[in-house]
Amino acid sequence: MPIWGDRLLAAGGAPVTVPRDPARDAARDELLNAEYHKNDPGLLERVVDWIWDHIDRAMGSISADGTDGTTGLVLFLIVALVIGAAVWWRLGAPGRAVRTDLGVYGTDGPRSAAQHRADAAGHAAAGRWAEAVREQMRALVRALEERTLLDVRPGRTADEAAAEAGRALPEHAAALAAAARTFDDIAYGERTADRPAYQLLLDLDRTLERTRPVLAHTAAPAAAPAPPPGGAA
């Protein structure tokens, strides 16, 4: 059988010698033509095919071993659970909200602390705990802004507000961080809101109202000079 690099016959019968390496390169370039691959399966389809291929091999090995139907079904379910757990671990829980950098006030912007507190109390009275938690956290942050313990900065997140306020109120830094985590978990749907979550923020808000900030340490006054030895002149 003639191969590339051997002497071949042209249409007229004359011998033609084709170099082997250029011929291989020409064949590879031809096979890389996009026209040959426009109907190739996409990445997702290849992943699904790979999963089903492994399931089919597993079921085939079960049948080859003479396993009965019940045991085969159990093994199939185990394989399916393993695959589902891998997908869950890689992609996360279905429908889980994706966290964003949306500020603590959302898209509506801040109002007065008193207004946020009133709205939070109204939501709590109606049992709308998620709304109550959000408004109470906004009231807490807005009150700190009104006291100038925080500068007014659009887009600030609850975590950022807690970290900044914790520097001015160090004895409440841990409680502020916990409040921000509670707000985030509820605002982004990872935790169900309830009365204790709302009460946590409400109690902290009331505590902070009675707390004085820690001012920067001023330089200590210079000590009076010691009297000269032997008493006053």
Side-chain angles (χ1 to χ4, degrees):
M1 175 183 295
I3 59 174
W4 291 107
D6 290 343
R7 295 177 63 84
L8 305 177
L9 295 180
V16 177
T17 301
V18 181
R20 183 172 300 177
D21 290 343
R24 182 178 63 242
D25 293 341
R28 181 191 60 196
D29 293 341
E30 180 66 20
L31 292 174
L32 290 176
N33 192 319
E35 288 296 320
Y36 296 120
H37 303 282
K38 61 182 179 180
N39 295 321
D40 287 355
L43 176 60
L44 179 60
E45 186 177 352
R46 292 199 299 271
V47 170
V48 173
D49 289 343
W50 179 85
I51 292 173
W52 281 113
D53 180 60
H54 278 67
I55 293 176
D56 185 63
R57 290 182 183 179
M59 297 302 296
S61 64
I62 293 171
S63 300
D65 293 338
T67 308
D68 59 34
T70 302
T71 306
L73 178 61
V74 170
L75 292 176
F76 173 78
L77 292 176
I78 291 174
V79 172
L81 287 174
V82 170
I83 294 174
V87 173
W88 186 293
W89 176 82
R90 181 66 182 87
L91 302 179
R96 184 175 63 186
V98 178
R99 293 200 171 200
T100 68
D101 293 329
L102 189 64
V104 66
Y105 297 118
T107 57
D108 297 332
R111 290 169 291 141
S112 70
Q115 288 174 317
H116 285 299
R117 288 184 181 120
D119 287 347
H123 289 308
R128 296 187 293 268
W129 300 115
E131 293 84 349
V133 165
R134 283 194 289 266
E135 287 301 320
Q136 186 56 54
M137 186 65 188
R138 290 164 182 166
L140 187 155
V141 174
R142 186 61 179 147
L144 295 173
E145 291 176 345
E146 291 175 351
R147 295 172 60 190
T148 68
L149 298 180
L150 291 177
D151 62 307
V152 179
R153 179 157 53 86
R156 176 192 279 117
T157 65
D159 292 327
E160 291 170 342
E164 294 170 20
R167 290 191 284 271
L169 305 168
E171 61 182 298
H172 300 292
L176 284 162
R181 285 194 300 271
T182 298
F183 173 84
D184 286 343
D185 290 345
I186 291 172
Y188 295 110
E190 296 178 4
R191 172 181 168 184
T192 301
D194 51 19
R195 178 184 290 275
Y198 165 71
Q199 195 66 43
L200 172 72
L201 298 179
L202 178 61
D203 292 343
L204 179 59
D205 185 24
R206 291 172 175 171
T207 299
L208 295 180
E209 283 190 287
R210 302 187 299 268
T211 303
R212 291 174 176 266
V214 175
L215 302 178
H217 294 291
T218 57

